[in-house]
Amino acid sequence: MIPENVKQSIQGSYKQFLSKKSLQARHAQKQMIADIANYLFSLSIGADGNRSSTEKLCVIEAGTGTGKTLAYLAAGIPVAQALGKKLILSTATVTLQEQLVNKDLPDFRDNSGLGFSFTLAKGRGRYLCIARLEQLMANTDHNGDLFAGMSTKPVTEKIDAETLKTLFDDYASMRWNGEFDALTQPVPMETWSQLTADNRSCTSRACAHFNHCPYYDARDRWDSVDVLVCNHDLVLADLALGGGVILPVTEDCIFVFDEAHHLADKALNHFSFNTQLQSSRQWLKQMTKSYADLLPHLATSAGWKAVIDEVASVSRETDVLLAQIYEYFFSELDWDAEDKKSHERKDAAETYRFKNGEVDEAACEVGRDLQHHFAAMTRNTEKLFTEIKKGLSDEKNTGDSGLNKEECEQWYPVVGQILNRCENQSQLWKLFSTQTEGNARPLAKWLKKLEHNDFVDLSVSCSPLVADNILTNGIWKRAFGVVLTSATLSSGESFESFKFKNGIPENSQFSMLKSPFNYAENALLRIPENFPDPSKQDKHTEAVAGYISQLLDSAITEKALGNTDEAVKSTENTQALAQKHRTFLALFSSRQQMNDVYFALEHRLRNYVIRQDDVSRTEAIIQHKQKSDSQSISILFGLASFAEGLDLPGDYLTHVIIAKIPFSVPDDPLDAALSEWIEERGGNSFLEVSLPSAAVRLKQACGRLIRNETDRGVVSLLDSRVLSRRYGQYFLKSLPPFRISYEAYE
């Protein structure tokens, strides 16, 4: 039961906020506030202040327009303060992060009467490492750069001396705070990564720059605030380190995961392993060279020469094994069989997936040898890393490395990066060579060809099939409370797919709150009958191009006659919206079809198109809005990233065209492995995975149209399968209650 003082705090702050902002209370929003507060106070608390009851979560699907952000702030902040917990708001996108920190939280604090503090938490990779900057400045030609080749990602562009000096001067003069997102001049991420540290290369308090380190300056603020805003990736990075390493202790936190439909996929990405065989061979050579450069500085009496010699010897043997398995994969695997399974993806023939995660014994044997070799290099590197770390503690070196403090500071990040990579390689090959026993869930394992200018590399990947165990053991069982919310968590009016992918406990609390928008009056869903089936790719693409051409020609005619969307918006007849538009969004499931449709348009019509591949997403939106503001016709062509998080209210978007139901690409190795496992255990992968996932994506795409109470417009779904297939009604039930128009395709 909610204590009376907390209840009054929630109700009072919510009413005061609405009053000051001249807003009306929304039923679904009030329900969401009550659901979150009741859930958090239903959890039992032990003598140590931690949750003592069995883990359960609060899952809320809040339709567009519910005002879910205000709801979880109004409920979460007073409850977290009353319980003495940190409130962590985690999002999937930078856009929502920035909205929370720059708009929603300040607005709620200033108008609710509640006193609370907040800040934004970012990963270490978003902050400048001053020591790394100084090291690069000292080696501007990069010939003496100790880090060269140590990164797990190839450096495509070195940083010139002038850029380095500018960054240093801007930071030293406090014109720049050291954050990537605050750069006055853009720096490509692959270039920026040369200027950052990770948990193994950062010397922390031993660093000469610790007292004015951009990352640790930010970390100091994290501990003192009531509300911490971060992204799912940072939460998962902390989880990978054991939890409570980057962020506050998990048990002391209440988590609100907004955009929670992304969480499972991001968790799989964080806990999967990948390596590139030929690149790894090059890295081994660089590692051996780095150790050879280090050896003269090490104490001869401590036996370090023997350690370095052993690493070099194991490295040479590892290089032979990597070459061996590279040749084996090319010569012994049936890549042609994978080619025959390919569908739309042009790179499908370049991917080989191991059925049921089963690798033949010959490859497993090499994989086990690789795991043992990388484990041996890990053990020796860890010994050296530990001794160098001791040398950082004070001016008097307490370690046995023989390095002075300055040398320890120089070599610590180099050896740390070597250790990281050896550990990851060891883990990858351990998973790759492990065969599934009994009814255990297999791992997804696959290879992919990567063509470079002068050679073909092979990437090797291993991943869990589902994120349930990752999230259950890392967060659900440990956190004090967890709220998961989004506008798109259910499919077919059911949470079953979401529960399966995320491992949601059965005793969790579930709510499905409908949008307050009047879709039946303000939005029309057009489904052309007899439209070519998407399985007939050429005919379907031709029909989509023809449909868009007709829309654009109609818009051109209406504009010439002086008819604008203002006339359309003022009419009560939603059917009329089907005829008069000048702002469009066309969404495609594949890049190939998007480009085929684009080039199928007459040249005169292409001038109205802003295509995702031609400019960045941000620039595309800017250009689209500029055209709309000038009363011009504009149509955005986009893929999946344009189907979510794109906010174009009012006249900026009145017609969304969806080329086809957004089913997953059939050849995605992880999806294929999951489907295969479900079928093997007697399930139906199409009903359990493919259909729910596609329904969520379709709902997201349709959600681009109506962004507020006054928006009006049309969604055209150019996929006749919603009419001809039995699963069609499943998709329609998953969508908002549009008025539906079934029109003959001509």
Side-chain angles (χ1 to χ4, degrees), residues 558-559 562-569 580-582 631:
E558 293 295 332
K559 188 172 186 296
N563 296 329
T564 68
D565 282 338
E566 288 302 317
V568 176
K569 289 169 69 68
K580 301 177 181 180
H581 300 274
R582 57 177 172 77
Q631 304 297 306

Side-chain angles (χ1 to χ4, degrees), residues 191 259 324:
T191 303
E259 301 175 312
Q324 181 181 337

Side-chain angles (χ1 to χ4, degrees), residues 87 189 207 225 250 287 507 537 551 561 572 648 732 739:
L87 181 63
M189 181 52 76
C207 179
V225 297
T250 308
M287 179 195 70
N507 66 331
Q537 294 182 25
L551 290 176
L561 294 174
E572 292 299 319
L648 295 169
L732 296 179
R739 183 188 302 182

Side-chain angles (χ1 to χ4, degrees), residues 90 156 160 163 182 186 314 460 463 487 497 507 536 556 581 611 620 695:
S90 179
T156 57
D160 61 86
T163 299
V314 174
V460 183
S463 172
S497 178
N507 66 331
K536 300 172 182 177
I556 293 168
H581 300 274
R611 193 168 41 147

Side-chain angles (χ1 to χ4, degrees), residues 524-529 575 578 715 738-744:
L524 175 70
L525 175 62
R526 295 179 68 189
I527 306 175
E529 295 177 314
Q575 283 296 105
V715 175
F738 295 115
R739 183 188 302 182
I740 302 178
S741 171
Y742 303 102
E743 302 174 6

